[in-house]
Amino acid sequence: MILSSQNSCNAKQRLCCLLVGFSSLFLCGLSGGEDSYESKGLANYERWDAQIVELFGSLPVLEEGRLKPIETVARYKLLRMNSSKSLRLPVGGEKLKISATEWMLDCLFRPELAKKIPVFKVNNPDVLINLGLEPHHSPRERYSYEEFSSVVDPEGMPKVLRRLSELTNAYSKVLDDPEREQEAKQLRRDPVKAGTLSLKTNMNEFEWLVNTLNFARDGLGVDLGEISPEFVKTGTGKTSVSYFLEVFDKVREVARLPDGGEAFVAKLNTVFSILERDTMTAGIKDNSSMTSLAMFPPISRDDEEWVKPGYIIEQLTFKVDELSDIDKALFTRWAMPKIKALERLAGAVDSETEKVNSQIFLSELDSLHKNIVSEAEARSEYSKVKLEMFNNRAGLFHWALGFYFLAFLLIAFTWLAPASAFARFASLGVWAMTGVATIALIAGIILRSVMLGRPPISTLYETIPFITASAVLLCLFIEVFDRKKIALAVATLLGVGGMFLAMRFELKEARDTLKVLEAVLRSNFWLATHVIAINIGYAAALLAGAIGHIYIFAALFGVKNRDFLKAVTRMVYGVSCFGLVFALVGTVLGGVWANDSWGRFWGWDPKENGALMICIGILVMLHARMGGLIKDLGISMFAVFVSIITVFSWWHVNQLETGLHSYGFTDGIMFWLYLTYGIEFSVIALGVIAHFGIFPKLFGGREPRSE
């Protein structure tokens, strides 16, 4: 397309914006799509009934100090192992999309089938080679648990799993030794060793999950006919755990009889060995490190900690003597229906064919669901679970990303003919889509805050949508007064970049982003003042740097429209001043909070230093401008430099693994940080080139230098 000469200047401006846009999108990176892979041994896979999936997914469980739907638990467990919240399995000539909830149902009630599902993502093939396993041809293919466990040594022992345990045990000794801190940091940064540790963690979590309901599926492999000829059996023909719990007093009486017999005592020892194993995998109350499901509300309304199935078994067997007769009777009456309900659910699945009787399973699950939910509602705890189910279904952040992206594409089309009727009409569409995206983003932030009962920022993840929303709102505010579509374009671009970054970080961390804070941080006043103020300062500093890119590229390409350049400069200057106010106030409030919590106002902590560097950077820029040392181009270059400092303060100091403010080391982001620094310093270098005119007349002539 040939542009007329009078629009040549506008063409250069549009080219600048496009270059800025695409370079920023490159930094964000695109999240990979769901993978498809060959599934071995799954030719007869049968999906769960939709009603079963819906009911099971909405069951409340307590995990990491927060009551949440089991759907959320399943999503993040699968995300950690699979790098995706769903699976695609080629079955019967078609690709089935299996949700995380369906996968968890398989793990709990069809464990042998679950072991055949390729679910483990191993990013580094050297991890597999180091374990003695042949990597798949495609790095996108996943691995099933059966692939790891089926490789055995001459003695029939699982060779790969044993090697994995040996390596991770050695690595754990380094990580747990406080005198080997530097060695531990190097280990965490080694891609093969870190990948091996991650695989072992995922493998352990999977093993706990598939063994959680062993007691309900398998029962006890012992015939207790001496107690009663009518003992209750599971579907496998073994004594059910619930029956054993009911006759436990009689079991002890028989065992204590002088003529009880060594054979019966031997049987009983076997039973206790099985019970001890199954109780641990089902979860006990005092072991918070276990991944079992705390799915039952406690018997007392005053107790906040929900109960795992193993705790019930433990209380009625190994710890039964700690209960009085009255307490034992009350606890038994409360607990036994729950154990029997799980056994009936497990009994609805054929143990050999793993076929599900959906009618029986649905009926039993519906009854269990009603009982648990009614108890949770009586404790006023289920409302937030329903809110989280709505949040999971709504996907507000995904909607925000989609609308921001469409708005960016539409405004990019308007740059081709900015004075046309199409451009004027499309601008309304850009405003509408940007508005919808921003409303969805803000609604998602508010919804998260309501669910957690605290201000919207407390974790590194939560800073991303908040900073994105703050930057976009600043852009829209500027656009209302400026009306040159510069700020509007930047708003759509930052919206896309921020949402992509949030999703990529969630994928990287693979942990529930709705976290309960440590006690020392549970101060809503400081979270609503210091943290919000400092993050608004981050948003403004990053926005000023983003707008500064436009001026630098415009100067490089010889844009001569002084109104355009002055408008960009005013934006950079104004946003920088705005950011300075919030960065300074946030830093001071942080010192007050530190004094209140730790007894000192300032401790030269890396995070504190980062905030101070932002303030100093902006102050130097403003003083240099007032003193005439820099002018328009210099302001933009300085703003880009301050944005580099902001990235360092926001992200890099967490990688140092030191200081009271560190959110913790995040594996794999150092490369992206250094890439960001490299690109941003390159942009500053381009500003130097534009200043000295090293590209004379390459793009139609350079604006006369004003500095």
Side-chain angles (χ1 to χ4, degrees), residues 9 559-567 632 703-706:
C9 188
V559 173
K560 298 176 181 178
N561 189 328
R562 289 191 175 275
D563 288 340
F564 171 79
L565 296 173
K566 287 296 182 185
D632 295 356
E703 176 196 7
R705 195 169 67 215
S706 60

Side-chain angles (χ1 to χ4, degrees), residues 474-688:
L474 276 172
C475 286
L476 296 181
F477 179 80
I478 293 171
E479 184 64 28
V480 168
F481 294 97
D482 185 73
R483 297 187 179 276
K484 287 185 174 60
K485 300 180 186 176
I486 302 171
L488 184 60
V490 174
T492 62
L493 187 62
L494 291 179
V496 172
M499 289 296 93
F500 264 125
L501 180 59
M503 291 175 187
R504 292 293 296 179
F505 185 73
E506 181 186 31
L507 178 63
K508 186 65 183 175
E509 288 288 280
R511 297 287 174 184
D512 189 356
T513 58
L514 290 165
K515 293 184 179 179
V516 178
L517 294 179
E518 299 176 3
V520 70
L521 297 176
R522 293 176 191 169
S523 172
N524 284 352
F525 173 77
W526 293 114
L527 288 175
T529 53
H530 158 65
V531 177
I532 287 179
I534 205 73
N535 278 274
I536 292 176
Y538 284 170
L542 293 170
L543 175 57
I547 300 173
H549 284 63
I550 298 175
Y551 192 102
I552 292 171
F553 281 108
L556 183 68
F557 296 153
V559 173
K560 298 176 181 178
N561 189 328
R562 289 191 175 275
D563 288 340
F564 171 79
L565 296 173
K566 287 296 182 185
V568 173
T569 300
R570 284 195 301 269
M571 292 180 198
V572 174
Y573 189 87
V575 172
S576 296
C577 292
F578 179 84
L580 174 62
V581 172
F582 280 90
L584 186 59
V585 170
T587 302
V588 172
L589 288 174
V592 176
W593 187 9
N595 187 64
D596 181 60
S597 298
W598 301 321
R600 53 94 171 147
F601 181 86
W602 192 265
W604 298 106
D605 185 270
K607 205 75 173 179
E608 296 170 352
N609 293 339
L612 180 62
M613 288 164 61
I614 294 172
C615 296
I616 293 174
I618 298 176
L619 284 170
V620 170
M621 180 187 76
L622 297 179
H623 280 76
R625 178 71 175 96
M626 293 176 64
L629 299 177
I630 59 174
K631 293 186 180 178
D632 295 356
L633 181 58
I635 289 176
S636 293
M637 293 168 62
F638 231 113
V640 173
F641 179 71
V642 172
S643 70
I644 295 174
I645 296 174
T646 305
V647 171
F648 175 83
S649 178
W650 183 18
W651 287 91
H652 199 135
V653 296
N654 303 321
Q655 302 301 103
L656 302 178
E657 298 185 84
T658 184
L660 296 170
H661 293 80
S662 177
Y663 296 111
F665 177 77
T666 304
D667 178 51
I669 71 167
M670 286 301 294
F671 168 78
W672 298 104
L673 286 174
Y674 286 126
L675 179 62
T676 301
Y677 297 152
I679 291 175
E680 295 305 296
F681 277 116
S682 298
V683 171
I684 294 175
L686 290 176
V688 175

